[in-house]
Amino acid sequence: MHIDRDIKLDFKDVLIRPKRSALPSRAEVDITREFLFKHSGKRYRGVPVIAANMDTVGSFDMARALAPYGLSTALHKHYRDEELAAFFKALRPKLKASAFYSLGITKADLDKFKRVMQRAGDAVHYVCIDVANGYSETFVKFVAEFRRAWPGLTLMAGNVVTGEMTEELILAGVDIVKVGIGPGSVCTTRVMTGVGYPQLSAVIECADAAHGLGGRICADGGCTSPGDVAKAFGGGADFVMLGGMLAGHDESAGEIVEQDGGRFKRFYGMSSRTAMEKYTGGVAQYRASEGKEVLVPYRGPVSETVQGILGGLRSACTYVGARTLKELTKRTTFVRVSMESNELFGEN
Ligand code: 5GP
């Protein structure tokens, strides 16, 4: 047994200290970023926020709604082959940067990916290989073989939370390492297993490791407000992935549920009982569900939420004098706090 006594931080443990700046207004801040990916050699330009590949969030509708703002969507993996092929083909003329094909590491996942590539290969540019535990050798092997087979695809993969595993994945061929174990809004991994890592520290440590090798990271999970998104970027994230913050909108799949006079949408983890019953016929006997289902208040079209997030991000940049999102991390000093916000009138 070993105890790491360093203090590890979550978003709620810090605030970003304001800095003197010559920036006249937030309208002058550029929150797009450009990357040249280490392995694929491809260029990206966009606002590096990605809708999570959860079936209620990473939908075709979400991708179409986010694309005009320059945001990306990791599509969930439960669409049929022909639906995916048709979507990517339709995307080809205009929205290249906006959609990741997601897959797990089973043979069925890989076979399906090959079939979609046969139909729409030249329209797929971004791929997300997603497992709950990115520490397994099988996962690293899968990623390395995938990279050999498709050298030109930009590959995001995870999830991990430590520098050494981030390095291993980048050396295995990953362009963007997905970071986060346990912080998600509908994730119960920490309670079910006791495993996890405070998300801001995971982001800071993994970003440092990735950038040393010319790789990128995506902070995945745990953002509850535009301020958290700013903190993730301030901590060094190149991309930020959002689930819960984008749930409950018109573009989030599922019906509106009326209850106690309010309107809601169902939102659940991809390893929740709900998801497993929907896609695999129930929770297998050897495993427990590591996600939960919640009702989130219905919030109308996602565009207003997106504008709030992007506005918050621009404003954060202005407070520290960052003219571009890229400069935010260099200009970020976190202060540790014991109270993040005043909750006299409830949150927000
Ligand atoms: P959020 O933005 O809602 O805080 O976090 C979204 C992330 O939570 C997803 O991108 C994914 O990494 C993670 N996630 C989604 N469903 C589950 C689940 O059922 N269990 C766990 N452990 N994590 C999940």
Side-chain angles (χ1 to χ4, degrees), residues 57 144 173 230 238 309 317 331:
V57 176
D238 302 291
I309 296 168
C317 289
R331 299 192 64 95

Side-chain angles (χ1 to χ4, degrees), residues 52 54 159 184-185 187 189 220-222 241-244 269-272 290-291:
M54 303 169 75
N159 281 19
S185 58
C187 163
T189 296
D220 175 22
M241 181 171 270
L242 303 176
M270 293 313 293
S271 326
S272 65
E290 284 180 26

Side-chain angles (χ1 to χ4, degrees), residues 60-116:
F60 293 152
D61 284 345
M62 187 65 78
R64 285 188 279 259
L66 297 186
Y69 295 94
L71 274 59
S72 302
T73 298
L75 297 167
H76 70 73
K77 64 174 198 174
H78 299 292
Y79 285 117
R80 292 196 308 273
D81 305 13
E82 58 275 19
E83 293 174 309
L84 285 160
F87 180 80
F88 277 102
K89 276 191 193 155
L91 213 61
R92 183 169 36 196
K94 39 190 172 139
L95 309 171
K96 258 193 183 172
S98 71
F100 284 77
Y101 180 103
S102 307
L103 73 162
I105 58 167
T106 64
K107 182 169 183 310
D109 287 323
L110 190 59
D111 289 346
K112 178 177 171 184
F113 177 70
K114 287 178 184 164
R115 291 195 302 271
V116 174

Side-chain angles (χ1 to χ4, degrees), residues 200-218:
L200 180 62
S201 286
V203 167
I204 292 170
E205 293 167 26
C206 294
D208 195 43
H211 295 164
L213 292 174
R216 301 289 161 194
I217 69 147
C218 173

Side-chain angles (χ1 to χ4, degrees), residues 41-272:
K42 298 282 160 54
R43 277 182 197 284
Y44 161 94
R45 184 179 156 77
V47 175
V49 173
I50 308 174
N53 49 325
M54 303 169 75
D55 65 351
T56 46
V57 176
S59 66
F60 293 152
D61 284 345
M62 187 65 78
R64 285 188 279 259
L66 297 186
Y69 295 94
L71 274 59
S72 302
T73 298
L75 297 167
H76 70 73
K77 64 174 198 174
H78 299 292
Y79 285 117
R80 292 196 308 273
D81 305 13
E82 58 275 19
E83 293 174 309
L84 285 160
F87 180 80
F88 277 102
K89 276 191 193 155
L91 213 61
R92 183 169 36 196
K94 39 190 172 139
L95 309 171
K96 258 193 183 172
S98 71
F100 284 77
Y101 180 103
S102 307
L103 73 162
I105 58 167
T106 64
K107 182 169 183 310
D109 287 323
L110 190 59
D111 289 346
K112 178 177 171 184
F113 177 70
K114 287 178 184 164
R115 291 195 302 271
V116 174
M117 287 302 277
Q118 262 172 6
R119 289 169 176 237
D122 55 343
V124 177
H125 299 277
Y126 295 87
V127 171
C128 169
I129 303 180
D130 197 21
V131 294
N133 171 10
Y135 284 77
S136 82
E137 259 180 44
T138 348
F139 171 63
V140 181
K141 231 176 111 221
F142 184 95
V143 163
E145 280 166 17
F146 191 95
R147 168 52 75 206
R148 277 194 287 279
W150 288 282
L153 289 177
T154 297
L155 181 56
M156 173 158 74
N159 281 19
V160 300
V161 286
T162 50
E164 92 281 1
M165 208 58 203
T166 300
E167 286 171 358
E168 178 152 358
L169 288 177
I170 290 171
L171 295 174
V174 174
D175 295 297
I176 310 164
V177 175
K178 202 146 72 73
V179 174
I181 293 186
S185 58
V186 282
C187 163
T188 57
T189 296
R190 290 177 181 178
V191 222
M192 287 305 294
T193 68
V195 176
Y197 208 95
Q199 181 68 351
L200 180 62
S201 286
V203 167
I204 292 170
E205 293 167 26
C206 294
D208 195 43
H211 295 164
L213 292 174
R216 301 289 161 194
I217 69 147
C218 173
D220 175 22
C223 287
T224 60
S225 61
D228 288 348
V229 178
K231 290 173 190 176
F233 283 121
D238 302 291
F239 293 84
V240 175
M241 181 171 270
L242 303 176
M245 282 181 68
L246 299 178
H249 296 94
D250 290 333
E251 296 81 357
S252 329
E255 298 304 306
I256 294 177
V257 180
E258 308 236 350
Q259 197 170 297
D260 303 328
R263 298 208 289 167
F264 302 87
K265 278 197 142 185
R266 270 184 223 292
F267 177 53
Y268 46 83
M270 293 313 293
S271 326
S272 65

